[in-house]
């Protein structure tokens, strides 16, 4: 993943598989290096890259774009090993029908071996936590009861420093911390108090911690 200002990069296809052109807003696949079937199946996902292009055009920083890419790829990887959250059975079927081809080369890579090894060594074996965090990120809207249930699953899993570290890694990969912090402004007092206690449990409210936005730190206080 790289950002360049040199115009000739458009012609130098040996350097890229997918090109987001900020000048004209186009998305171009490199048909010389990327499998045609993969390109055809990926067309439905181009909206994500268009959104990234717009983020860059309005001046959003590198961190925002990298976080979005990390969350996007982490979901595919998690879903490929049975850790994906889907709101409906139909969404699950559609997603998995695409995943097999999209992760074919990934599955045969050393990186996949390392990922599976890291999954095996995780303190939290229960995929409930993974799915709870994905539910917060990818659901269009959650009711008060659903939010409380999701927060309870995460809090219950954070029963040791090692488990808490696992959860914090997931929250970072899914860029989810601010979403949980926003719950401190929820109309429900139960949700507000539960989100505050969850942030405290996960050690985000300690003075030495810099991950939580200063604004949310003030709200928590």
């Amino acid at each position: 993943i790289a950002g360049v200002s040199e115009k000739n990069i458009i012609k130098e296809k040996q350097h890229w598989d997918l090109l987001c052109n900020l000048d004209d807003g186009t998305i171009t696949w490199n048909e010389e290096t990327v499998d045609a079937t993969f390109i055809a199946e990926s067309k439905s996902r181009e909206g994500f890259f268009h959104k990234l292009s717009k983020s860059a055009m309005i001046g959003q920083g590198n961190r925002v774009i990298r976080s979005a890419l990390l969350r996007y790829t982490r979901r595919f990887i998690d879903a490929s090993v049975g850790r994906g959250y889907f709101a409906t059975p139909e969404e699950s079927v559609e997603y998995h029908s695409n995943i097999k081809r999209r992760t074919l080369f990934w599955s045969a890579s050393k990186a996949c071996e390392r990922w599976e090894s890291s999954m095996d060594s995780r303190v939290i074996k229960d995929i409930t936590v993974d799915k709870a965090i994905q539910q917060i990120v990818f659901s269009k809207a959650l009711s008060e009861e659903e939010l409380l249930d999701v927060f309870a699953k995460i809090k219950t899993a954070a029963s040791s420093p090692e488990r808490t570290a696992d959860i914090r890694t997931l929250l970072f990969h899914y860029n989810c911390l601010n979403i949980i912090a926003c719950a401190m402004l929820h109309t429900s007092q139960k949700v507000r108090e539960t989100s505050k206690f969850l942030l405290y449990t996960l050690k985000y409210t300690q003075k030495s911690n810099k991950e939580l936005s200063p604004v949310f730190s003030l709200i928590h206080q």
Side-chain angles (χ1 to χ4, degrees):
I1 302 165
V4 298
S5 57
E6 176 56 57
K7 298 289 185 181
N8 288 336
I9 193 70
I10 296 173
K11 299 177 182 178
E12 297 174 359
K13 292 188 175 182
Q14 71 271 24
H15 297 305
W16 53 268
D17 296 317
L18 179 76
L19 181 71
C20 302
N21 191 324
L22 300 187
D23 290 334
D24 58 18
T26 58
I27 304 295
T28 306
W29 287 94
N30 187 346
E31 296 181 357
E32 297 174 10
T33 61
V34 183
D35 180 72
T37 303
F38 181 89
I39 294 175
E41 292 182 349
S42 300
K43 286 292 183 182
S44 63
R45 305 291 174 181
E46 285 187 4
F48 168 77
F49 295 102
H50 280 294
K51 186 176 179 181
L52 280 190
S53 294
K54 290 179 181 177
S55 296
M57 290 175 73
I58 63 175
Q60 289 190 330
N62 212 27
R63 183 177 176 276
V64 173
I65 294 173
R66 285 186 176 276
S67 294
L69 283 163
L70 180 59
R71 179 169 61 186
Y72 181 78
T73 51
R74 169 100 200 209
R75 190 187 192 193
F76 269 107
I77 293 168
D78 280 349
S80 72
V81 293
R83 291 176 173 271
Y85 164 80
F86 304 99
T88 64
E90 292 76 18
E91 183 185 347
S92 176
V93 171
E94 188 274 333
Y95 212 82
H96 282 93
S97 65
N98 287 327
I99 280 175
K100 287 185 179 179
R101 283 191 180 275
R102 293 170 67 87
T103 59
L104 181 62
F105 296 107
W106 155 261
S107 299
S109 69
K110 291 291 185 182
C112 181
E113 289 182 17
R114 290 194 296 271
W115 181 260
E116 290 177 337
S117 176
S118 72
M119 286 290 125
D120 291 338
S121 63
R122 281 182 56 182
V123 176
I124 299 178
K125 304 296 184 183
D126 187 359
I127 64 173
T128 302
V129 180
D130 300 60
K131 291 187 175 183
I133 291 173
Q134 291 179 54
Q135 186 177 359
I136 295 173
V137 176
F138 297 114
S139 295
K140 292 183 179 179
L142 293 176
S143 66
E144 176 183 347
E145 291 75 17
E146 288 172 326
L147 278 172
L148 292 173
D149 179 60
V150 166
F151 289 167
K153 289 176 181 175
I154 298 173
K155 177 184 171 296
T156 300
S159 58
S160 70
E162 292 78 13
R163 285 182 169 232
T164 299
D166 263 356
I167 293 172
R168 286 171 62 112
T169 298
L170 274 171
L171 293 177
F172 171 73
H173 283 181
Y174 279 107
N175 197 22
C176 186
L177 178 56
N178 284 344
I179 299 176
I180 294 175
C182 280
M184 292 190 293
L185 302 172
H186 199 276
T187 54
S188 164
Q189 184 177 352
K190 278 188 177 181
V191 172
R192 292 197 300 271
E193 294 301 322
T194 303
S195 63
K196 284 184 178 181
F197 189 65
L198 179 60
L199 292 171
Y200 171 80
T201 302
L202 296 175
K203 311 298 183 185
Y204 283 112
T205 58
Q206 295 179 347
K207 290 184 178 180
S208 58
N209 187 276
K210 303 297 181 184
E211 292 182 64
L212 191 65
S213 163
V215 174
F216 288 127
S217 295
L218 286 172
I219 294 172
H220 188 277
Q221 293 172 7

